[in-house]
Amino acid sequence: MAESQRHPFLHGLSKHRGAPPTVVVIFGASGDLTARKLIPAVYNLGVDNLLPTDFHLVGYGRKEIPDDEFRTLAADAIKEFSRRELDQDVWARIAKNTTYVAGGYDDADAFKRLAKHIDEIEKGVGRDVQVLFYISTPPSVFAPILKNLGGAGLAQKHLDQPHHAKVIIEKPFGHDLASARELNGTIRSVFEEHQVYRIDHYLGKETVQDLLVQRFANAIFEPLWNRNYIESVQITVAEEVGVGSRGGYYEQSGALRDMIQNHTMQLLALTAMEPPVSLHAESIRDEKVKLLKAIQPLRLGPDGDVARAQYADGMLGGKPAQGYLKEEGIAEHSKTETYAALRLSINNWRWQGVPFYLRSGKRMARRVSEIAINFRHPPGTLFAESEKFNLAGNTLAFQIQPDEGLSLILNAKVPGLETRTQPVKMNFRYATTFGSNTPEAYERLVLDAMIGDGTLFIRGDEAETSWKLCTPLLEYWSEAGREGMDSYPAGSWGPPSADALLAKNNHHWRQP
Ligand code: BG6
């Protein structure tokens, strides 16, 4: 492909990242995620020549859809959602091996039919194929699907070989600690942990992976990466979008379950964990779990470590935006938070005393996800006169999205005949250095699962540790009802209670 040759991200990649003959089976094949992310991800891997020669895609869902129609739906999804335009040649190669199986999720016979379909594909290929099951359905049917995969013998397929069956499980992974444990129990009754790939799509984002590289491939950071030099850390995942048509789902979820428990906690773990002994998946996940376990239980109550709020009427992009309670499918007195902020303490040698602030919200001023490391101020002996010396604490900010990159705020002399200072920003931007058209998170994740690399997926104990921290808070909020629920205008940077959370330590939220 001309594109692969040109693009620096792909240089030399296919040589090292070859997957064996694979059948990807998507459960929830007519769903939104399949159209928006999964089919485009498979297609873009095809464009980059990263699909195995014998690659088959099987859609599975309750609706009766003929193969041809499924292929048309898939092509339409590519046209609408792929980062690159539909190339008929590439698509034709994928489409000829794309089929659909209709069946219920709790219908054992349908899973036997699926097993037969996969056997036929394998016969056609003429050698063993690995099967990758992608569970992209509502969580209510995760358990029946898993059990039926076991019942039909599909979970055990080629288990004694390197290219055994694998399963990707979409979020949400449980809705509290008990349900996450139960789900892990169901998974383990059918699959072995090394076959399981729990998705958090934030781990597939380029800049999240860059975090590891920046921290451990540069010698200048490690000596400073601790309580002696770092004053605080702020992790922001802000969205402009509201709940849109997802009100039904969101009412059961809220910002803590939807974003904090998974995406922001993952960012925190990668930012604060100890250096792993190797880049092997288990080494990295071990360190993440250790870090998550060192987080102290949240102090709840009115003066505690948390804030929550719902967006009210406001303005976004020059247009009026309505409040959460007026959105479609939202209860009149909803107690679901669209914004949550936490102050976390990590009780280990490296981080004791350094507050970690996490916030995430919908309908905020701008879509931005970033990790900001705020360093301590220099001693105020030399540049002390505040009218001449405008000094900022140094901040290293990893911009996860959009405009991916890294910036460092330093104090510099303003040019002129006397010494005045001003904070300046040094910038590294992915788009400027490497060009745009970065692969989407799902491309990396689907490819990694096909190859059998679990580094960018969540291990069972990791999911449980994160739920263990969040569940008491969920219970506390659930009991409190709307008491203590703050609000913020749509298009703003969040509620006053979140500012107050930082003010206690004399800190304030950064405006990314
Ligand atoms: C999903 C949440 O996990 O992440 C959504 O369910 C949210 O509510 C989305 O909008 C944000 O993902 P991204 O990649 O757009 O930042």
Side-chain angles (χ1 to χ4, degrees):
M1 286 281 100
E3 173 100 18
S4 337
Q5 281 153 15
R6 260 201 334 267
H7 205 286
F9 289 118
L10 298 166
H11 185 69
L13 190 60
S14 36
K15 272 196 280 202
H16 309 291
R17 313 217 80 207
T22 301
V23 183
V24 171
V25 180
I26 301 179
F27 294 105
S30 54
D32 206 44
L33 187 80
T34 303
R36 283 176 181 275
K37 300 289 181 192
L38 306 186
I39 302 271
V42 165
Y43 167 74
N44 279 294
L45 290 174
V47 173
D48 292 330
N49 262 336
L50 292 170
L51 292 178
T53 325
D54 288 302
F55 176 81
H56 288 252
L57 180 65
V58 178
Y60 184 104
R62 280 181 283 223
K63 261 193 217 158
E64 286 286 346
I65 306 177
D67 286 350
D68 271 354
E69 197 182 318
F70 182 60
R71 288 192 275 263
T72 308
L73 288 173
D76 290 347
I78 295 165
K79 284 182 204 147
E80 192 173 350
F81 299 115
S82 162
R83 71 188 164 93
R84 292 184 288 208
E85 283 191 3
L86 185 84
D87 175 319
Q88 290 298 349
D89 291 343
V90 176
W91 174 236
R93 282 202 298 275
I94 300 173
K96 77 174 171 30
N97 289 341
T98 296
T99 48
Y100 183 86
V101 175
Y105 297 120
D106 49 7
D107 177 352
D109 288 339
F111 277 74
K112 282 187 197 135
R113 269 192 285 120
L114 176 63
K116 206 164 150 238
H117 185 64
I118 293 168
D119 284 344
E120 275 158 20
I121 291 176
E122 195 161 45
K123 252 187 241 151
V125 170
R127 55 181 172 141
D128 289 352
V129 294
Q130 87 168 341
V131 193
L132 174 61
F133 299 104
Y134 198 124
I135 305 185
S136 164
T137 60
S140 55
V141 292
F142 285 1
I145 293 174
L146 289 162
K147 285 180 188 155
N148 276 321
L149 286 175
L154 284 164
Q156 303 80 13
K157 198 170 172 67
H158 304 315
L159 195 52
D160 53 343
Q161 294 172 33
H163 301 309
H164 46 65
K166 301 178 170 66
V167 62
I168 299 184
I169 300 174
E170 256 302 330
K171 63 170 287 228
F173 195 85
H175 56 268
D176 58 11
L177 179 58
S179 55
R181 277 188 178 148
E182 195 182 324
L183 183 52
N184 269 335
T186 309
I187 293 172
R188 285 178 195 133
S189 69
V190 180
F191 287 97
E192 293 175 15
E193 180 65 33
H194 67 94
Q195 297 176 277
V196 184
Y197 296 76
R198 295 171 191 79
I199 283 247
D200 183 316
H201 77 279
Y202 265 59
L203 293 179
K205 291 184 190 274
E206 275 298 333
T207 25
V208 177
Q209 296 156 45
D210 185 47
L211 194 57
L212 278 184
V213 178
Q214 293 293 342
R215 275 196 65 191
F216 303 124
N218 295 301
I220 57 169
F221 295 131
E222 179 55 20
L224 307 179
W225 215 256
N226 58 52
R227 61 198 297 274
N228 299 324
Y229 297 95
I230 293 177
E231 167 85 19
S232 70
V233 175
Q234 285 187 18
I235 302 182
T236 300
V237 180
E239 296 187 280
E240 267 181 44
V241 291
V243 288
S245 57
R246 296 169 76 219
Y249 155 77
Y250 200 80
E251 276 285 270
Q252 305 305 315
S253 172
L256 192 72
R257 285 189 173 100
D258 190 46
M259 301 295 278
I260 301 267
Q261 182 275 336
N262 38 49
H263 308 323
T264 38
M265 292 296 272
Q266 283 298 317
L267 298 183
L268 166 68
L270 290 170
T271 306
M273 70 181 191
E274 294 300 312
V277 289
S278 76
L279 287 178
H280 189 264
E282 293 318 313
S283 308
I284 294 177
R285 290 151 137 197
D286 285 347
E287 292 307 332
K288 277 160 63 189
V289 172
K290 258 168 42 193
L291 188 280
L292 292 171
K293 283 186 174 161
I295 301 175
Q296 295 303 284
L298 286 158
R299 286 182 306 127
L300 306 174
D303 205 27
D305 295 324
V306 297
R308 64 171 172 157
Q310 290 173 340
Y311 57 85
D313 291 350
M315 294 289 285
L316 234 167
K319 291 194 193 124
Q322 64 181 1
Y324 179 64
L325 296 178
K326 295 181 190 158
E327 300 269 31
E328 189 193 320
I330 306 305
E332 199 182 333
H333 301 292
S334 167
K335 49 183 194 176
T336 302
E337 78 289 352
T338 62
Y339 175 102
L342 313 182
R343 179 181 48 211
L344 298 176
S345 314
I346 299 174
N347 199 16
N348 66 12
W349 191 273
R350 188 185 286 268
W351 294 119
Q352 202 201 45
V354 180
F356 280 75
Y357 303 114
L358 270 49
R359 64 175 161 169
S360 181
K362 297 228 179 265
R363 281 277 187 253
M364 292 182 66
R366 207 154 64 73
R367 174 177 182 251
V368 58
S369 299
E370 69 153 37
I371 301 163
I373 315 291
N374 298 314
F375 290 89
R376 292 196 187 285
H377 275 259
T381 50
L382 295 180
F383 301 104
E385 294 163 59
S386 58
E387 63 287 357
K388 269 171 73 182
F389 303 121
N390 171 12
L391 288 190
N394 303 123
T395 294
L396 178 67
F398 296 88
Q399 183 133 1
I400 308 296
Q401 64 185 22
D403 197 14
E404 292 80 356
L406 182 69
S407 65
L408 178 62
I409 294 178
L410 299 165
N411 295 302
K413 180 182 175 297
V414 179
L417 301 181
E418 65 171 342
T419 301
R420 286 176 178 275
T421 68
Q422 185 184 302
V424 294
K425 198 167 166 184
M426 270 169 54
N427 258 331
F428 151 63
R429 291 286 156 234
Y430 263 72
T432 333
T433 306
F434 296 115
S436 52
N437 222 357
T438 312
E440 282 236 6
Y442 279 90
E443 295 170 36
R444 173 72 194 255
L445 296 174
V446 170
L447 179 64
D448 279 10
M450 281 199 288
I451 292 167
D453 182 351
T455 312
L456 302 178
F457 294 85
I458 314 282
R459 206 166 60 190
D461 54 346
E462 214 177 325
E464 288 184 20
T465 312
S466 176
W467 276 121
K468 199 170 171 186
L469 182 81
C470 294
T471 300
L473 175 56
L474 286 166
E475 287 166 358
Y476 167 72
W477 279 346
S478 165
E479 268 163 39
R482 283 187 57 82
E483 208 186 307
M485 176 72 78
D486 204 349
S487 76
Y488 57 104
S492 71
W493 279 110
S497 52
D499 296 338
L501 200 62
L502 271 67
K504 286 176 202 156
N505 290 358
N506 246 335
H507 293 149
H508 54 269
W509 291 107
R510 218 174 96 83
Q511 280 237 351

